[in-house]
Amino acid sequence: MSIARKPNPARRSEQSRQAIFKATRELISEVGYANVSIEAIAARAGAGKQTIYRWWRSKAAVVFDSFLALSEAGRQEEMMLPDTGDIEADLKLVMRATVTEFADPDFEAPIRALNAEIINDPDLAAQYREKLAGPVEEAKKARLCSAQRAGQIAADADLDLVLELLYAPLYQRWLHRSGPLTPEYADALVDLTLKAFRP
Amino acid sequence: MSIARKPNPARRSEQSRQAIFKATRELISEVGYANVSIEAIAARAGAGKQTIYRWWRSKAAVVFDSFLALSEAGRQEEMMLPDTGDIEADLKLVMRATVTEFADPDFEAPIRALNAEIINDPDLAAQYREKLAGPVEEAKKARLCSAQRAGQIAADADLDLVLELLYAPLYQRWLHRSGPLTPEYADALVDLTLKAFRP
Amino acid sequence: MSIARKPNPARRSEQSRQAIFKATRELISEVGYANVSIEAIAARAGAGKQTIYRWWRSKAAVVFDSFLALSEAGRQEEMMLPDTGDIEADLKLVMRATVTEFADPDFEAPIRALNAEIINDPDLAAQYREKLAGPVEEAKKARLCSAQRAGQIAADADLDLVLELLYAPLYQRWLHRSGPLTPEYADALVDLTLKAFRP
Amino acid sequence: MSIARKPNPARRSEQSRQAIFKATRELISEVGYANVSIEAIAARAGAGKQTIYRWWRSKAAVVFDSFLALSEAGRQEEMMLPDTGDIEADLKLVMRATVTEFADPDFEAPIRALNAEIINDPDLAAQYREKLAGPVEEAKKARLCSAQRAGQIAADADLDLVLELLYAPLYQRWLHRSGPLTPEYADALVDLTLKAFRP
DNA sequence: ATCTAACCGAGACGGTACGTCGCGTCTTTTG
DNA sequence: CAAAAGACGCGACGTACCGTCTCGGTTAGAT
């Protein structure tokens, strides 16, 4: 019998939205995801708490959108990976870049927090795959497809599986801190994966 | 100025400890990790909150030890994996078992929660690797070593890397819910990994 | 660095306020002042603890206001003492009434508690004098002033001092339980005081 | 059916007792009566908590005994008040001394605390009258008795009442902070009381 | 041009849990 | 066996946030 009050997005204040995103990002980098409260976000953004509760389900959702807004702002037309014709070299380049990125302490905290939330929140996981991981994976698969056509990867290879073999060990090692992330490690993963999917 | 009061473990009440473990496990399966409070654990265990704070750093630590106590209680002498001489068959058996295990909703919640905490808590991660993951990994590496001696795996293969290639994709797919966990998927990972590490 | 958050009295919930007063009075008479906790008051009143901490400095302050609310509710237009023209008779009447009042066990506990708090809390003492004792003392002084004009008390007598001589021995004897409080004792105090201040 | 375990006072450690007294007095002057805990006393005295609970009923009892020990230590053979033959002068001297004493901030806190406890604790009140107030009152009454014999005070005067008239206003004014304590005030009380009890 | 419905900031509210303090009891170890 | 040491169950503390709920004040779109 509940009268589902549904706010009208047309009337939404873009100014508040941006202020909330900004406050959220600042607070996360200042005190860490776990110590960020909705109260603090609202106070910092000069927004009422209700304005947050009206538009987001949870703190995780606010945080997610805050980062999404950032990444969308900086998004180039299309995500494109290098294609020199040499899949091994191209992949190693990309994987080494990922390794470097993961070493940046500024990215560390929010990405870890995001991953932790995703594990327990299916909705958030779906959004993550659709909005953040999806586009990047598409670009990677495009490059792999090109390699497939060039006969460098088995024609019947499942490209999702290729990506998992390449990246899952890397992510796991980073998330669990179970070993060092070196360029050599990246190279080894590329070599092994290509060997596994050799035609 | 703080005087670091350090409790004397010799005087610790084993009865309270066990009651806390039991209460923790029950509460987690009843209301889920996120909804378990230290207050509730203490109440259910008939213990004072201070008794928990005296011996554990955080809720995550209590939960971890609760499961650790369980696993140690049920631990067989030595962890041993089947060794029929056929590494492919043996690995597929084990991986399919893992897939089945992950489908059990009773294990799902606590394992997800544990993984989420591990991501953000280096201490907990270290303990996890040492106390829980470690013994299992040793057993798996023992089996892989046997296969290595039998010439089924390259002699120079890094066995940690073999395990990562085998399991990381599986774990990631499960944690991110990014795809179905089927026996065929398990088989495919074994096949690919063995191919990648073929002598 | 603390940001002194100051609540806005205009938005205060009168309903909560009254419920807290009621709960406080009930609890005091049920378990005694010392055994009343703010936690219990909040629970009984169906209020959050913060609602109490937001508006009162201490348990003593809540209790004080609770009684103040009572006394204000029951306050007759103006406090008036009998004036038959015979100051001695009038004072004896009033003092004997006080003696009787002090014998009532229902009033005993809270009044003792209030006096104990007042001793250690200057703010509370000031409030007590202003809100509770003040009006009563004014009425008494008015009657004494009338006696002064009638030449029954020295014209230069300090009326505050008269009241102290009359009441302080009575209060002290009651608070310290250092002797019986009888009508004769009341009469004696009146006689002595009048003699001391005879013109 | 409780087996009332009664400790044997003969075996009591005098060293602990003194250490507890010393710690109690120090803590009271450092943090104030209300903020002194039995835990803190035990810790400071290097005593076990049980040692305190074995020998005292309450914090108030420990504090009381601590001060009692002090006053007994410094007690001169017999308490004697000056007797110049002029009761008015002698009383004014003593009352002015009391006024001065009450102005000393070092004595203020503990005496206020003691009075607050006495109001709510009949046992403590009895002990106070017997051990602390008693001897002093006896001395004062001895002086008044001498004045009575000299015809300066009515022969049928109740000396307890004389003392109440003299001191109760002073104590009340101090405890309630309801007015200034000046030498003139002391003198006025003496004058009024002597007038009230003039033969 | 003026309603009027909605969002907005602000923040009080009933709650839950936090992590700490101290109580009074109990147990273990030391002299 | 008293005493020191201190762990224990317990209750309350005062604080931080939760998510809900008014309040006025502003700001649109519909009248």
Side-chain angles (χ1 to χ4, degrees):
Chain A
M1 286 315 120
S2 87
I3 304 175
R5 311 265 286 93
K6 39 184 78 167
N8 177 357
R11 305 198 135 205
R12 183 165 185 182
S13 158
E14 182 61 19
Q15 186 177 324
S16 288
R17 195 167 159 266
Q18 293 304 332
I20 286 164
F21 286 161
K22 183 156 175 290
T24 303
R25 275 183 246 116
E26 287 174 7
L27 283 167
I28 283 187
S29 66
E30 282 172 27
V31 301
Y33 175 82
N35 298 323
V36 171
S37 66
I38 290 192
E39 301 232 348
I41 293 174
R44 167 86 61 119
K49 283 201 290 176
Q50 202 60 260
T51 302
I52 297 182
Y53 284 111
R54 192 177 297 120
W55 303 111
W56 289 280
R57 288 192 312 106
S58 65
K59 182 177 77 168
V62 184
V63 172
F64 183 83
D65 276 10
S66 299
F67 283 103
L68 190 59
L70 246 198
S71 92
E72 274 175 349
R75 181 75 50 81
Q76 304 304 341
E77 288 281 313
E78 272 292 289
M79 183 82 45
M80 275 291 286
L81 261 48
D83 189 346
T84 65
D86 179 352
I87 185 66
E88 182 187 328
D90 289 354
L91 282 180
K92 284 181 177 174
L93 190 70
V94 172
M95 294 275 288
R96 279 169 174 250
T98 303
V99 163
T100 304
E101 205 176 56
F102 277 3
D104 180 346
D106 278 356
F107 283 156
E108 176 148 8
I111 297 180
R112 280 190 187 278
L114 181 59
N115 272 276
E117 289 293 326
I118 277 175
I119 288 177
N120 289 305
D121 186 337
D123 285 2
L124 197 63
Q127 260 202 306
Y128 167 75
R129 282 197 310 280
E130 183 190 345
K131 302 274 182 56
L132 280 179
V136 179
E137 298 221 323
E138 283 312 309
K140 287 173 185 166
K141 275 155 78 176
R143 178 64 189 86
L144 290 174
C145 206
S146 148
Q148 215 169 16
R149 282 191 302 271
Q152 296 169 322
I153 289 179
D156 63 343
D158 174 349
L159 297 187
D160 284 315
L161 200 47
V162 179
L163 283 180
E164 283 180 351
L165 230 64
L166 271 174
Y167 282 96
L170 187 70
Y171 283 138
Q172 178 176 280
R173 193 173 266 214
W174 183 69
L175 287 173
H176 285 201
R177 290 176 246 250
S178 53
L181 256 57
T182 60
E184 292 74 31
Y185 179 63
D187 290 351
L189 287 176
V190 172
D191 290 336
L192 288 166
T193 303
L194 289 182
K195 190 172 170 201
F197 286 98
R198 188 162 299 159
Chain B
M1 287 314 125
S2 92
I3 301 170
R5 309 264 289 94
K6 40 186 74 168
N8 176 357
R11 303 224 157 173
R12 183 165 185 183
S13 159
E14 182 61 20
Q15 187 176 323
S16 288
R17 197 168 158 265
Q18 294 303 333
I20 287 165
F21 286 161
K22 184 157 174 289
T24 303
R25 275 184 247 116
E26 288 173 5
L27 282 168
I28 284 187
S29 65
E30 284 171 25
V31 301
Y33 175 83
N35 297 322
V36 171
S37 66
I38 289 190
E39 197 126 348
I41 293 174
R44 167 89 59 123
K49 280 199 289 180
Q50 203 60 263
T51 301
I52 297 182
Y53 285 110
R54 191 169 10 248
W55 302 112
W56 288 279
R57 290 190 311 102
S58 65
K59 183 176 76 167
V62 184
V63 171
F64 182 83
D65 276 9
S66 299
F67 282 103
L68 189 57
L70 247 199
S71 90
E72 275 175 348
R75 180 75 50 81
Q76 306 302 341
E77 287 280 312
E78 272 290 290
M79 184 83 44
M80 276 291 287
L81 260 50
D83 189 345
T84 64
D86 181 350
I87 186 66
E88 183 188 327
D90 289 355
L91 282 180
K92 284 180 176 173
L93 190 71
V94 172
M95 294 274 289
R96 279 168 173 251
T98 302
V99 163
T100 304
E101 208 175 54
F102 278 3
D104 180 346
D106 279 356
F107 282 157
E108 176 147 8
I111 297 180
R112 280 190 189 278
L114 180 58
N115 272 277
E117 290 293 327
I118 277 175
I119 288 176
N120 289 306
D121 185 337
D123 286 1
L124 198 64
Q127 260 201 305
Y128 168 75
R129 283 197 309 279
E130 184 190 344
K131 302 275 180 58
L132 279 180
V136 178
E137 298 222 322
E138 283 311 310
K140 288 172 184 166
K141 275 156 77 177
R143 180 63 191 86
L144 290 175
C145 206
S146 151
Q148 217 170 15
R149 281 191 304 269
Q152 296 169 322
I153 290 180
D156 63 343
D158 174 347
L159 298 187
D160 284 317
L161 201 46
V162 179
L163 284 180
E164 282 180 351
L165 230 64
L166 271 174
Y167 282 95
L170 188 68
Y171 282 138
Q172 178 176 279
R173 193 174 267 214
W174 183 69
L175 287 173
H176 284 201
R177 289 177 249 247
S178 53
L181 257 57
T182 61
E184 292 72 33
Y185 179 62
D187 291 351
L189 287 176
V190 172
D191 290 336
L192 288 166
T193 304
L194 289 181
K195 188 173 172 197
F197 285 99
R198 187 165 299 162
Chain C
M1 285 313 123
S2 92
I3 302 170
R5 310 265 286 92
K6 37 187 78 166
N8 177 356
R11 302 223 159 177
R12 184 165 184 180
S13 158
E14 183 60 22
Q15 186 176 323
S16 289
R17 195 167 160 267
Q18 293 304 334
I20 287 164
F21 286 161
K22 184 157 176 288
T24 302
R25 276 184 246 117
E26 288 173 6
L27 283 167
I28 283 186
S29 65
E30 283 172 26
V31 301
Y33 175 82
N35 297 321
V36 172
S37 65
I38 290 191
E39 198 127 348
I41 294 174
R44 167 88 60 124
K49 280 201 286 179
Q50 204 60 262
T51 301
I52 297 183
Y53 286 110
R54 192 177 296 120
W55 303 111
W56 289 279
R57 291 189 312 100
S58 64
K59 183 176 75 167
V62 184
V63 172
F64 181 83
D65 276 10
S66 299
F67 282 103
L68 189 58
L70 248 198
S71 92
E72 276 176 348
R75 181 75 49 84
Q76 305 302 342
E77 286 282 313
E78 272 289 291
M79 183 85 42
M80 275 293 285
L81 259 48
D83 189 345
T84 65
D86 179 351
I87 185 67
E88 182 187 329
D90 290 353
L91 282 179
K92 283 182 178 174
L93 190 70
V94 171
M95 293 275 288
R96 280 168 174 252
T98 302
V99 163
T100 304
E101 205 176 56
F102 278 3
D104 180 346
D106 278 357
F107 282 157
E108 174 148 9
I111 297 180
R112 281 191 186 279
L114 180 59
N115 272 277
E117 290 293 328
I118 276 174
I119 288 177
N120 289 305
D121 186 337
D123 285 2
L124 198 63
Q127 259 201 307
Y128 167 76
R129 282 197 310 280
E130 183 190 345
K131 302 275 181 57
L132 280 179
V136 179
E137 299 223 320
E138 282 312 310
K140 290 172 183 166
K141 276 157 76 176
R143 178 63 191 86
L144 290 174
C145 206
S146 149
Q148 216 169 15
R149 281 192 302 270
Q152 296 169 322
I153 289 179
D156 64 343
D158 174 348
L159 297 187
D160 284 314
L161 201 45
V162 179
L163 283 181
E164 281 180 351
L165 230 64
L166 270 174
Y167 281 96
L170 187 68
Y171 283 138
Q172 178 175 277
R173 191 173 267 214
W174 182 70
L175 287 173
H176 284 201
R177 289 176 247 250
S178 53
L181 255 59
T182 61
E184 290 73 34
Y185 179 62
D187 290 351
L189 288 175
V190 172
D191 289 336
L192 289 167
T193 303
L194 288 181
K195 187 171 172 201
F197 285 99
R198 186 164 299 161
Chain D
M1 291 324 113
S2 86
I3 303 175
R5 311 263 285 95
K6 41 184 74 164
N8 176 355
R11 301 201 145 207
R12 182 167 184 181
S13 158
E14 182 60 20
Q15 185 177 325
S16 288
R17 196 166 159 267
Q18 293 305 331
I20 286 165
F21 286 160
K22 184 158 177 288
T24 302
R25 275 183 248 115
E26 288 173 6
L27 283 168
I28 284 186
S29 65
E30 284 172 25
V31 301
Y33 174 82
N35 298 322
V36 172
S37 66
I38 291 193
E39 299 233 349
I41 293 174
R44 166 86 62 122
K49 282 199 292 177
Q50 202 59 260
T51 302
I52 297 182
Y53 285 111
R54 201 178 348 260
W55 303 111
W56 288 279
R57 289 191 312 106
S58 65
K59 182 175 77 168
V62 184
V63 171
F64 183 82
D65 276 11
S66 299
F67 281 103
L68 190 58
L70 245 198
S71 91
E72 276 176 349
R75 180 76 49 84
Q76 305 302 340
E77 286 284 311
E78 272 292 291
M79 183 84 42
M80 276 292 285
L81 259 50
D83 188 345
T84 64
D86 179 351
I87 185 63
E88 182 187 328
D90 289 354
L91 282 179
K92 285 183 176 173
L93 190 70
V94 172
M95 293 274 289
R96 280 169 172 250
T98 302
V99 163
T100 305
E101 207 175 56
F102 278 2
D104 180 346
D106 279 356
F107 282 156
E108 174 148 9
I111 297 181
R112 280 189 187 279
L114 181 59
N115 272 278
E117 289 293 325
I118 277 174
I119 287 178
N120 289 306
D121 186 338
D123 286 3
L124 197 64
Q127 261 202 305
Y128 168 76
R129 283 197 309 279
E130 182 190 346
K131 303 273 182 58
L132 280 179
V136 178
E137 298 221 322
E138 284 311 311
K140 288 173 185 165
K141 275 155 77 176
R143 178 64 190 86
L144 290 175
C145 205
S146 151
Q148 215 168 17
R149 282 192 301 271
Q152 296 170 322
I153 289 180
D156 63 344
D158 175 347
L159 298 187
D160 284 315
L161 202 44
V162 179
L163 284 181
E164 282 180 352
L165 231 63
L166 271 174
Y167 282 97
L170 187 68
Y171 283 138
Q172 178 176 278
R173 193 174 266 216
W174 182 70
L175 287 173
H176 284 201
R177 289 175 246 251
S178 52
L181 257 58
T182 60
E184 292 72 33
Y185 179 62
D187 291 352
L189 287 176
V190 172
D191 290 336
L192 288 167
T193 303
L194 288 181
K195 187 171 174 202
F197 286 99
R198 187 165 300 161

